[in-house]
Amino acid sequence: MPPAGRPRAFDMEAVLDAAMLLFWEQGYEATSLAQLRAATGLSSASLYGVFGSKEGLFKRVVEHYMQGPGSVTAAVEDETAGSREVIGGLLHGSIDMQADTSHPTGCLIALSGTMRAPGEDHAGVRAAVTARRTADRAHIRQYVERGLAKGELDPTTETEGLTSLVHGFLLGISTQLRDGVPAPTLHAAADTLLSNWHQTEPD
């Protein structure tokens, strides 16, 4: 047994994996502390001692997710590739990840945030997922602007409009997969969206 007053050792990676799958499948609010304790094997004292709260655990899970399955969005951080290549990698890579049957379908960031009315309750949860969505949107806008500057897009393309189109498609992958839309259909839709870009590569 561990010495008195010291927390029992546990595998942090396994704990975060277990909590991630619950939040991913059920969402933040629908996931109870009892379910989290059962899935992670942590006692209430250990859970609160390490993470502070259910919200604290969720924030750590978001970081864990972004280092794992959610890292597919890192495609938008490639500074060397053409804008069409980057956006195509983001969309097709996200479809493949979200359709993977080895974990819950969809995207944890798109599906797991609280939907409560604005207020203090769960404000940190909303902030955690909003920050990720905001970062993705900013990166998408960057590549739309690059596509315009490099002549990969029609010069009349409205930057915010195309940014919203790509980001909206990215966020909508989750609900479509959960509604039973097959991945090949979504890949075909992504190709249609990418037809806004010329096939030419930037200099």
Side-chain angles (χ1 to χ4, degrees), residues 96-145:
D96 287 338
M97 184 280 285
Q98 294 187 46
D100 189 337
T101 58
S102 68
H103 53 61
T105 56
C107 168
L108 182 144
I109 301 301
L111 296 170
S112 296
T114 179
M115 298 301 292
R116 290 174 69 95
E120 292 302 316
D121 289 348
H122 310 318
V125 171
R126 289 194 297 275
V129 293
T130 297
R132 286 308 321 168
R133 292 193 296 263
T134 300
D136 287 344
R137 183 181 177 90
H139 281 121
I140 291 167
R141 184 187 298 108
Q142 172 188 340
Y143 279 91
V144 170
E145 291 171 346

Side-chain angles (χ1 to χ4, degrees), residues 30-156:
T31 300
S32 69
L33 284 170
Q35 289 174 319
L36 289 168
R37 289 195 302 269
T40 63
L42 294 181
S43 65
S44 293
S46 292
L47 193 151
Y48 280 98
V50 175
F51 302 105
S53 63
K54 176 184 169 183
E55 182 177 301
L57 173 57
F58 180 78
K59 290 178 180 178
R60 288 290 299 277
V61 161
V62 169
E63 295 173 3
H64 183 69
Y65 173 81
M66 293 308 303
Q67 293 168 0
S71 64
V72 66
T73 61
V76 294
E77 298 176 9
D78 187 344
E79 297 293 335
T80 64
S83 65
R84 188 183 194 281
E85 180 184 351
V86 169
I87 297 300
L90 171 65
L91 297 181
H92 288 297
S94 294
I95 292 166
D96 287 338
M97 184 280 285
Q98 294 187 46
D100 189 337
T101 58
S102 68
H103 53 61
T105 56
C107 168
L108 182 144
I109 301 301
L111 296 170
S112 296
T114 179
M115 298 301 292
R116 290 174 69 95
E120 292 302 316
D121 289 348
H122 310 318
V125 171
R126 289 194 297 275
V129 293
T130 297
R132 286 308 321 168
R133 292 193 296 263
T134 300
D136 287 344
R137 183 181 177 90
H139 281 121
I140 291 167
R141 184 187 298 108
Q142 172 188 340
Y143 279 91
V144 170
E145 291 171 346
R146 179 179 295 184
L148 282 164
K150 295 290 186 178
E152 293 183 90
L153 289 164
D154 188 296
T156 64

Side-chain angles (χ1 to χ4, degrees), residues 134-200:
T134 300
D136 287 344
R137 183 181 177 90
H139 281 121
I140 291 167
R141 184 187 298 108
Q142 172 188 340
Y143 279 91
V144 170
E145 291 171 346
R146 179 179 295 184
L148 282 164
K150 295 290 186 178
E152 293 183 90
L153 289 164
D154 188 296
T156 64
T157 299
E158 205 281 314
T159 300
E160 290 302 323
L162 184 53
T163 298
S164 291
L165 178 63
V166 174
H167 195 218
F169 183 96
L170 183 66
L171 294 173
I173 292 169
S174 295
T175 52
Q176 293 201 64
L177 285 170
R178 291 210 170 181
D179 285 346
V181 177
T185 298
L186 294 174
H187 282 299
D191 285 336
T192 299
L193 190 159
L194 290 167
S195 66
N196 286 287
W197 271 266
H198 304 310
Q199 293 286 352
T200 56

